[in-house]
Amino acid sequence: MADTTQRPSTTLPAGGSAVAATSKAEQRRLAERRRRQKIWLARALLLVGIVSLWQFSAGRLVSDFFIGRPSEIAETLYIWAASGKLFFHAGITSIEALLGFLLGSAIGMTFGVVLGRAQTLADVLDPFIMMFYSLPKIALAPMFILWFGIGIDMKIYLTATIVFFLVFLNTYSGVRAVSREQIAIMRLMGASESDILRKVVIPSAITWVFNGLRLSVPYALIGAIVGELIASNKGLGYLLADASGQFDTSGMFAALIAIMMLALLLNFAVKWFEKRAMPWKTVEDKREMSI
């Protein structure tokens, strides 16, 4: 007699693989979220530990005249913020750093692409570029004061000069690193120079460009702050110089913390723009992490 007993099917339903993939993706997202939470917790604990040790050491192990007290620094920041003084001076420094950053980046990217595609011109200008790049940019500040005065223009141009070389060198290296085979294939297909730039060179070099932009953020602030330290009555650099002139340690540390927070915000802004300009990079990072 034939066996008519029904056995359970071992075949997965049609949507089984999709459900399994979705479940794995959700698990990866949860794992990544937990990892980020642990990182932020570790950062918070490290910050609390440093501030606690600092507060304990001030006046006990080291004179607070030299290192100040976190409580007094926080009080100074609060007074500056409540009076609007902090936001006014931070706004001036932000404008100088941002405009100098944008101007230097635009010129640096343009020159990087042009010289990257014109090797003969790059070879002619190479020694001159290296001479100017090796020159300490801070040494240009007195000359910029002579040319542009002590107003906001001087800080913007000094910042742009510092940013220019970092962005230019990274952009130039990125353009020169583009595969020659890809360019040759594009030419065989009848592509013009503008087509090669738009479809091959710029997409290939954009990672190098953003590396230069990220490196330029702190240097943009350096240019603005140095300009304010040398000749200014506005900006975070002025607050730092004013506190230093009065031997106000808490004020000096408060100005330094404000500068560091501003640098952090500018870095976040560049990273946000990078994610919008290169969405494929985020996808690649997630794929590598899931292996």
Side-chain angles (χ1 to χ4, degrees):
M1 180 181 294
D3 185 8
T4 58
T5 306
Q6 294 184 352
R7 294 181 177 86
S9 174
T10 58
T11 305
L12 289 174
S17 58
V19 172
T22 303
S23 177
K24 289 182 179 179
E26 184 65 26
Q27 290 176 2
R28 287 196 297 268
R29 283 194 293 268
L30 290 175
E32 176 64 14
R33 188 179 307 166
R34 285 194 294 268
R35 190 183 73 88
R36 290 184 178 276
Q37 289 173 351
K38 290 179 180 178
I39 290 175
W40 280 104
L41 179 60
R43 289 172 177 172
L45 292 175
L46 179 61
L47 180 60
V48 170
I50 292 174
V51 173
S52 301
L53 180 61
W54 186 357
Q55 181 70 30
F56 174 80
S57 302
R60 293 183 177 88
L61 304 178
V62 184
S63 172
D64 55 1
F65 175 78
F66 296 105
I67 64 173
R69 292 178 182 271
S71 56
E72 295 176 357
I73 296 170
E75 182 181 358
T76 301
L77 284 171
Y78 175 78
I79 293 172
W80 287 356
S83 64
K85 183 178 180 179
L86 177 63
F87 301 110
F88 171 76
H89 289 285
I92 297 295
T93 302
S94 300
I95 292 173
E96 296 166 353
L98 183 60
L99 292 180
F101 177 79
L102 293 175
L103 179 61
S105 299
I107 299 175
M109 284 186 283
T110 302
F111 273 76
V113 172
V114 171
L115 294 185
R117 296 295 299 147
Q119 186 60 38
T120 302
L121 180 61
D123 292 338
V124 172
L125 297 178
D126 180 70
F128 302 99
I129 293 172
M130 286 301 104
M131 282 192 297
F132 281 109
Y133 178 66
S134 354
L135 181 69
K137 309 307 179 293
I138 307 304
L140 296 174
M143 188 72 70
F144 276 53
I145 292 175
L146 179 64
W147 290 344
F148 307 111
I150 62 173
I152 192 173
D153 293 348
M154 184 270 289
K155 287 88 171 179
I156 293 174
Y157 295 140
L158 179 61
T159 300
T161 303
I162 295 173
V163 170
F164 164 79
F165 285 98
L166 291 171
V167 176
F168 163 75
L169 290 174
N170 277 273
T171 304
Y172 175 79
S173 300
V175 172
R176 296 302 302 169
V178 175
S179 171
R180 296 183 180 181
E181 288 77 9
Q182 291 183 0
I183 295 176
I185 292 172
M186 290 288 291
R187 291 196 185 281
L188 289 174
M189 296 173 64
S192 63
E193 181 65 22
S194 61
D195 292 329
I196 294 173
L197 283 176
R198 287 186 295 104
K199 298 180 180 180
V200 177
V201 175
I202 293 178
S204 299
I206 193 169
T207 302
W208 293 74
V209 173
F210 275 103
N211 285 337
L213 293 177
R214 283 198 303 270
L215 290 173
S216 301
V217 169
Y219 287 94
L221 269 180
I222 288 173
I225 297 297
V226 167
E228 293 169 354
L229 286 172
I230 294 175
S232 182
N233 59 356
K234 299 175 184 177
L236 295 177
Y238 163 74
L239 285 182
L240 180 60
D242 184 59
S244 175
Q246 300 178 41
F247 299 99
D248 180 8
T249 309
S250 298
M252 292 171 59
F253 275 104
L256 289 173
I257 289 173
I259 292 170
M260 288 188 290
M261 294 303 297
L262 182 57
L264 189 63
L265 290 175
L266 290 176
N267 268 300
F268 277 136
V270 172
K271 287 182 179 180
W272 178 87
F273 185 71
E274 181 181 6
K275 288 181 179 179
R276 297 299 180 275
M278 297 191 300
W280 64 87
K281 189 173 183 298
T282 304
V283 176
E284 289 178 355
D285 292 341
K286 288 182 178 178
R287 186 175 64 245
E288 291 174 359
M289 182 183 61
S290 64
I291 294 175

